[in-house]
């Protein structure tokens, strides 16, 4: 009898362990942007946080602190985390909110794996008109909003003005930027002759998307129709050949760094290794800080959108957004999501300290944004920045395929014509299988 | 007799059941999916042999297979030879030998992420350890991670450094199995060290060597992490092994059927190669019997 009682008690204890006593709605937030718990693990002062990781970590901490009635669980995934997300969705266990590049949204939206967010955003007090044109273009698919746009990210020319001055490429305190491809080569040669350093710092190793951003930008500048429809790409064109030819000349004459990966190129620029580093908006903060510190080899710093080498001014942009994968959710869980979306919108201004452009018009015109260094120089990108057409799926895989062929073309391994034809064939084959 | 056979079956049944459930069933399911245009989320559209037809016409598949076999050829013989020499050098009961055994084995306990991080510091073209040494000597740094001719050797070196531990231990275990009296007899007969090595040590390690070669061949044909983290298969796909290609196709392009078709071909190739190696290496033994 005693043994039976003991077993029954033991069983009851074990079973009680299986039952959760937390009846709050659970919000599983999955994000990339890195792990920085050691520095920001307990921080809730969003205004004092710096860097993508620091700001997003602090924001999530703050949301959890402000909403004790919601059980917030945060999954930090290695960038970009889409393989993990796909596996979670395939297993029927998706998170509630996920960071997603706007260029990736079409993949999931076309397979009906994402919730349209129009209603939830309206409940959170967010209307389409409040969003920047670039933010809208990145998140509206088939007339519906599939994400809360969070920023606009694009490539800029980060410029070492001290070295540009040494090369005689400054006028009235501003860098003299080329107005056509011939002028770019001319500037690059002058720069190298004067400083002994390459004009461009570029990440050309293990960074296939790097060259693709240049190609897309200058194709958009020439009004080229890159994707005539959802099943075809048009790459082997005179416009594309001109662009790739320019970058090949830069490589051939060693007017650019050729053997650097992204971390090396990033460090090389701050160490005064070259004149201009065409890279993302997210580097404005660190480079501005380095230039101001006085201890770095970066003695002067300016930033500008890509120069207009062909046709018109253009910028190929992407952006981050918050999406909600489809799942069965209770009313309380949906309300928790709405609160989170509203919270995110409130802190969009803080996010711009990363260097990214805001997703909200009000932030774009606010002094908290415009008074940050160099932001006035790049603010136009939030309106003019263009993405690929919304019907183009697998944009990340497509960038990988094109980047691989561009690497071969720019480094001289393949003739430009053949590389572009191969890229076109490979992308068309991929698109035909969707 | 029958009763013994039944009881024997009962003992192996749990393993056979699990083996079928975890390996045979997924293999058959994979084979079935490879006849479909399929994505990760359950979409299936019957295409028959189309994925295989596409695969055998895909230059990137052949490039990836070529890279994989080049890596295996660079790694397996070198790894076998180096670990055999290390085992011979460290097969003694001294404190220093024990320390060096631990030292050489230590790289094997590291995860692929740490290994590639270490080798990235060494190989990075402009700021890596080798680049700095070469620059200090006035020599142009070698672009290990950006030159299509150097990326595959760079991956091979990384893998050899990482993989020293297990084969070395297998050789050490093999060496310790060789009866000492054979060496004593050879010594009495006046055999020199080379004769002893080629007539006693090497033949006695025959089975261990076959095991090391087979294990390493199977492992290197599935090389993945180093390539993904160190070179991302570039530049221009020159260092992309077949498993990385399969991963990219499945998770980047969501072409699950096509990726599985490539995986099935790889499986058959590994199986054929293992059987051929086994047959070649045991053929002599059968003749001797």
């Amino acid at each position: 009898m005693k043994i039976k009682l003991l077993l029954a008690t033991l069983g009851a204890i074990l079973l009680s362990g299986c039952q959760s006593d937390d009846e709050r709605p659970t919000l599983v937030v999955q994000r990339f942007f890195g792990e920085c718990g050691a520095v920001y693990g307990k921080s809730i002062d969003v205004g004092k946080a710096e860097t993508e990781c620091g700001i997003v970590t602090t924001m999530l901490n703050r949301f959890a602190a402000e909403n004790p009635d919601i059980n917030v669980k945060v999954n930090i995934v290695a960038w970009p985390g889409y393989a993990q997300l796909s596996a979670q969705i395939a297993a029927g266990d998706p998170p509630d909110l996920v960071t997603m590049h706007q260029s990736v949204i079409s993949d999931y939206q076309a397979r009906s794996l994402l919730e349209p967010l129009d209603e939830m955003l309206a409940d959170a007090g967010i209307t389409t008109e409040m969003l920047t044109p670039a933010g809208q273009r990145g998140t509206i698919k088939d007339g519906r909003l599939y994400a809360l746009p969070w920023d606009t990210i694009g490539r800029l020319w980060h410029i070492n003005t001290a070295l540009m001055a040494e090369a005689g490429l400054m006028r009235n305190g501003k860098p003299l930027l080329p107005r056509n491809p011939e002028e770019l080569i001319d500037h690059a040669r002058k720069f190298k002759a004067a400083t002994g350093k390459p004009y461009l710092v570029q990440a050309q190793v293990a960074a296939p998307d790097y060259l693709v951003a240049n190609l897309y930008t200058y194709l958009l500048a020439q009004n080229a129709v890159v994707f005539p429809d959802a099943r075809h790409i048009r790459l082997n064109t005179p416009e594309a050949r001109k662009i790739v030819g320019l970058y090949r000349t830069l490589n051939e004459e060693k007017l650019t760094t050729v053997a650097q990966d992204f971390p090396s190129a990033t460090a090389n620029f701050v160490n005064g290794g070259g004149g201009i580093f065409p890279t993302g908006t997210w580097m404005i903060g660190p480079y501005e800080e380095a230039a101001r510190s006085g201890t770095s080899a970066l003695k002067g710093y300016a930033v500008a959108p890509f120069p207009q080498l062909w046709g018109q001014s253009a910028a190929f942009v992407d952006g981050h957004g918050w999406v909600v994968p489809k799942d069965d959710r209770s009313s309380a869980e949906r309300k928790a999501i709405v609160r989170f979306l509203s919270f995110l919108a409130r802190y969009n201004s803080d996010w711009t300290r990363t260097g990214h452009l805001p997703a909200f018009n009000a932030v774009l015109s606010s002094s908290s944004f415009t008074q940050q260094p160099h932001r006035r120089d790049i603010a136009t990108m939030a309106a003019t920045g263009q993405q690929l057409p919304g019907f183009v799926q697998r944009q990340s895989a497509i960038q990988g395929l094109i980047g691989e062929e561009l690497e071969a073309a720019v480094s001289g391994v393949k003739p430009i014509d053949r590389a572009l034809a191969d890229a076109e064939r490979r992308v068309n084959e991929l698109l035909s299988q969707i | 007799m029958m009763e013994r056979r039944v009881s024997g079956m009962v003992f192996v049944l749990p393993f056979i059941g699990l083996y079928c459930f975890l390996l045979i069933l997924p293999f058959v399911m994979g084979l079935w999916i490879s006849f479909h245009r399929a994505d990760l989320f359950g979409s299936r559209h019957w295409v028959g042999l189309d994925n295989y037809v596409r695969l055998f016409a895909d230059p990137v598949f052949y490039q990836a297979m070529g890279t994989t076999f080049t890596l295996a050829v660079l790694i397996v013989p070198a790894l076998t030879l180096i670990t055999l020499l290390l085992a011979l050098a460290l097969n003694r009961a001294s404190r220093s030998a024990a320390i060096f055994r631990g030292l050489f084995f230590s790289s094997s306990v590291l995860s692929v992420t740490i290994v590639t991080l270490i080798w990235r510091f060494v190989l990075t073209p402009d700021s890596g350890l080798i680049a700095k040494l070469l620059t200090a000597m006035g020599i142009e740094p070698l672009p290990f991670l950006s030159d299509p001719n150097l990326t595959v050797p760079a991956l091979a070196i990384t893998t050899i450094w990482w993989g020293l531990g297990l084969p070395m231990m297998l050789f050490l275990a093999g060496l310790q199995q060789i009866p000492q009296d054979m060496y004593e007899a050879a010594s009495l007969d006046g055999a020199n060290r080379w004769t002893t090595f080629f007539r006693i040590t090497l033949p006695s390690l025959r089975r261990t060597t076959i095991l090391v070669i087979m294990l390493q061949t199977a492992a290197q044909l599935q090389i993945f992490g180093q390539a993904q983290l160190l070179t991302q298969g570039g530049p221009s796909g020159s260092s992309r092994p077949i498993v990385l290609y399969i991963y990219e196709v499945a998770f980047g392009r969501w072409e699950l059927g096509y990726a599985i078709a490539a995986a099935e071909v790889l499986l058959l190739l590994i199986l054929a190669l293992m059987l051929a190696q086994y047959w070649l290496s045991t053929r002599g033994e059968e003749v001797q019997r």
Side-chain angles (χ1 to χ4, degrees):
Chain A
M1 185 63 192
K2 273 184 182 173
I3 291 174
K4 273 186 183 172
L5 191 67
L6 192 68
L7 284 174
T9 314
L10 207 64
I13 291 168
L14 284 173
L15 282 173
S16 69
C18 300
Q19 188 191 351
S20 167
D21 56 357
D22 192 345
E23 291 183 357
R24 297 176 297 169
T26 299
L27 197 64
V28 180
V29 180
Q30 185 155 298
R31 68 160 185 88
F32 45 78
F33 298 122
E35 155 66 54
C36 50
V39 182
Y40 290 99
K42 290 183 178 163
S43 152
I44 56 165
D45 191 347
V46 183
K48 285 186 178 164
E50 292 297 336
T51 75
E52 288 177 334
C53 182
I55 295 172
V56 78
T57 303
T58 307
M59 281 179 57
L60 290 170
N61 292 344
R62 186 163 190 105
F63 179 77
E66 282 181 7
N67 297 274
D69 55 330
I70 300 173
N71 179 20
V72 182
K73 289 185 176 172
V74 181
N75 284 345
I76 302 170
V77 291
W79 188 92
Y82 300 127
Q84 186 171 334
L85 176 66
S86 299
Q88 288 167 309
I89 292 174
D93 185 27
D96 296 307
L97 280 137
V98 188
T99 47
M100 185 173 277
H101 289 91
Q102 290 168 12
S103 58
V104 177
I105 292 173
S106 299
D107 292 356
Y108 292 87
Q109 173 266 337
R111 287 285 284 113
S112 302
L113 300 169
L114 300 179
E115 293 273 4
L117 292 188
D118 309 72
E119 280 177 26
M120 280 202 250
L121 288 174
D123 290 347
I126 301 163
T127 61
T128 311
E129 295 70 39
M130 293 165 75
L131 306 172
T132 61
Q136 289 181 36
R137 282 195 288 269
T139 52
I140 295 177
K141 312 284 168 191
D142 297 332
R144 305 197 71 178
L145 269 165
Y146 277 89
L148 170 67
W150 187 227
D151 56 33
T152 294
I153 51 176
R155 307 280 172 143
L156 302 165
W157 272 26
H158 299 262
I159 303 161
N160 184 329
T161 50
L163 286 177
M164 291 290 273
E166 206 178 313
L169 293 171
M170 293 290 282
R171 290 286 180 282
N172 306 321
K174 288 206 161 191
L176 196 62
L177 297 181
R179 289 163 297 180
N180 54 57
E182 294 76 27
E183 207 167 76
L184 189 148
I185 296 290
D186 184 47
H187 283 195
R189 285 176 184 151
K190 267 188 196 158
F191 185 94
K192 194 171 182 190
T195 65
K197 295 177 179 181
Y199 181 66
L200 290 185
V201 174
Q202 294 194 101
Q204 299 198 60
V205 176
D209 61 327
Y210 188 86
L211 289 166
V212 184
N214 297 343
L215 179 70
Y216 281 163
T217 294
Y218 287 122
L219 283 175
L220 291 171
Q222 296 178 75
N223 278 327
V225 180
V226 187
F227 289 91
D229 57 63
R231 291 281 178 272
H232 296 92
I233 189 170
R234 207 180 280 157
L235 266 188
N236 195 9
T237 59
E239 291 91 346
R241 284 194 286 273
K242 279 190 285 189
I243 300 162
V244 182
L246 170 68
Y247 283 94
R248 184 162 174 159
T249 306
L250 288 166
N251 267 39
E252 279 170 352
E253 295 191 26
K254 296 272 187 330
L255 300 172
T256 169
T257 57
V258 291
Q260 288 178 344
D261 59 7
F262 206 82
S264 305
T266 306
N268 188 32
F269 179 72
V270 88
N271 290 330
I276 294 160
F277 183 23
T279 190
T281 42
W282 56 89
M283 289 312 297
I284 293 179
Y287 286 151
E288 176 65 22
E289 200 181 315
R292 279 189 183 180
S293 72
T295 55
S296 125
L298 186 62
K299 300 294 180 199
Y301 173 66
V303 67
F306 271 44
Q308 186 183 333
L309 299 180
W310 288 278
Q312 63 204 29
S313 240
F316 167 68
V317 298
D318 195 351
H320 300 113
W322 291 87
V323 299
V324 177
K326 271 198 176 154
D327 201 6
D328 289 332
R329 293 189 178 88
S330 66
S331 158
E333 284 167 337
R334 295 181 82 82
K335 280 179 185 162
I337 292 173
V338 168
R339 262 153 75 181
F340 186 74
L341 293 171
S342 170
F343 174 88
L344 284 171
R346 219 161 66 227
Y347 285 96
N348 193 234
S349 173
D350 287 279
W351 185 246
T352 61
R353 289 201 302 280
T354 57
H356 305 318
L357 292 157
F360 288 83
N361 288 318
V363 179
L364 191 67
S365 56
S366 70
S367 59
S368 66
F369 173 72
T370 54
Q371 284 179 5
Q372 290 180 55
H374 309 293
R375 297 315 197 270
R376 284 178 199 274
D377 302 330
I378 62 167
T380 51
M381 277 171 69
T384 60
Q386 293 183 60
Q387 306 198 345
L388 297 183
F391 55 72
V392 182
Q393 295 180 46
R394 310 292 185 276
Q395 290 186 28
S396 178
I398 288 170
Q399 283 202 16
L401 296 179
I402 300 174
E404 205 169 295
E405 296 298 338
L406 288 185
E407 275 179 356
V410 167
S411 61
V413 172
K414 269 189 190 181
I416 294 172
D417 283 11
R418 214 182 93 206
L420 288 171
D422 283 349
E424 197 171 274
R425 175 185 53 75
R426 291 174 70 183
V427 173
N428 284 338
E429 194 186 325
L430 163 63
L431 292 172
S432 73
Q433 296 300 314
I434 294 174
Chain B
M1 185 66 188
M2 187 65 185
E3 199 177 307
R4 280 190 64 188
R5 190 174 287 179
V6 170
S7 62
M9 289 290 281
V10 169
F11 274 108
V12 296
L13 213 58
F15 170 76
I16 299 282
L18 271 178
Y19 184 82
C20 289
F21 183 68
L22 293 175
L23 285 166
I24 306 296
L25 183 65
F27 171 72
V28 174
M29 285 170 74
L31 200 62
W32 178 246
I33 293 172
S34 73
F35 298 127
H36 294 76
R37 184 186 296 166
D39 71 10
L40 296 165
F41 311 107
S43 158
R44 304 280 184 270
H45 173 72
W46 175 263
V47 292
L49 289 172
D50 188 46
N51 283 329
Y52 291 92
V53 173
R54 278 178 60 211
L55 194 66
F56 290 119
D58 183 351
V60 183
F61 171 72
Y62 289 109
Q63 185 192 31
M65 285 305 269
T67 303
T68 309
F69 281 107
T70 308
L71 278 167
V73 167
L74 287 175
I75 294 168
V76 177
L79 193 62
T80 309
L81 188 67
I82 293 168
T83 51
L84 174 63
L85 294 176
L86 280 174
L88 287 169
L90 301 174
N91 185 30
R92 61 198 66 193
S94 67
R95 180 176 285 184
S96 59
I99 290 170
F100 278 112
R101 279 200 295 267
L103 206 63
F104 285 115
F105 190 75
S106 62
S107 63
S108 302
V109 302
L110 299 175
S111 82
V112 67
T113 317
I114 307 294
V115 171
T116 45
L117 206 60
I118 292 169
W119 280 91
R120 178 173 283 277
F121 285 129
V122 176
L123 298 170
T124 295
D126 269 18
S127 52
L129 186 65
I130 294 178
K132 283 188 173 164
L133 284 174
L134 291 175
T135 309
M137 290 189 285
I139 303 168
E140 180 94 356
L142 290 169
F144 282 108
L145 304 180
S146 60
D147 185 326
N149 299 314
L150 295 177
T151 44
V152 172
L155 284 177
I157 292 167
T158 307
T159 307
I160 290 169
W161 181 83
W162 187 30
L164 288 174
L166 180 67
M168 184 188 74
M169 286 301 175
L170 287 173
F171 278 125
L172 276 168
L175 285 170
Q176 283 160 23
Q177 296 287 317
I178 303 172
Q180 279 304 307
D181 44 6
M182 286 174 74
Y183 289 110
E184 282 163 19
S187 174
L188 288 173
D189 288 343
N192 64 25
R193 293 177 81 173
W194 287 111
T195 310
T196 309
F197 176 70
F198 283 111
R199 295 293 173 88
I200 297 174
T201 309
L202 217 47
S204 303
L205 287 175
R206 182 186 162 84
R207 282 178 177 277
T208 310
T209 310
I210 292 167
L211 178 70
V212 167
I213 290 174
M214 288 179 70
L215 284 178
Q216 287 304 320
T217 307
Q220 303 317 329
L221 290 176
Q222 298 171 68
I223 197 167
F224 171 68
Q226 303 94 300
Q228 194 203 20
L229 296 167
L230 206 57
T231 63
Q232 291 180 12
S236 313
S238 60
S239 64
R240 177 195 288 118
I242 187 65
V243 179
L244 180 57
Y245 179 62
I246 292 168
Y247 172 80
E248 286 173 359
V249 172
F251 290 97
R253 289 160 48 176
W254 293 7
E255 290 188 67
L256 195 62
Y258 189 60
I260 293 180
E264 301 288 348
V265 171
L266 176 66
L267 174 76
L268 290 177
L269 274 172
I270 293 177
L271 210 61
L273 211 63
M274 292 298 99
L275 289 174
Q277 274 186 359
Y278 185 74
W279 176 72
L280 278 173
S281 54
T282 53
R283 201 172 46 158
E285 289 178 9
E286 292 297 323
V287 171
Q288 280 170 14
R289 278 179 204 168

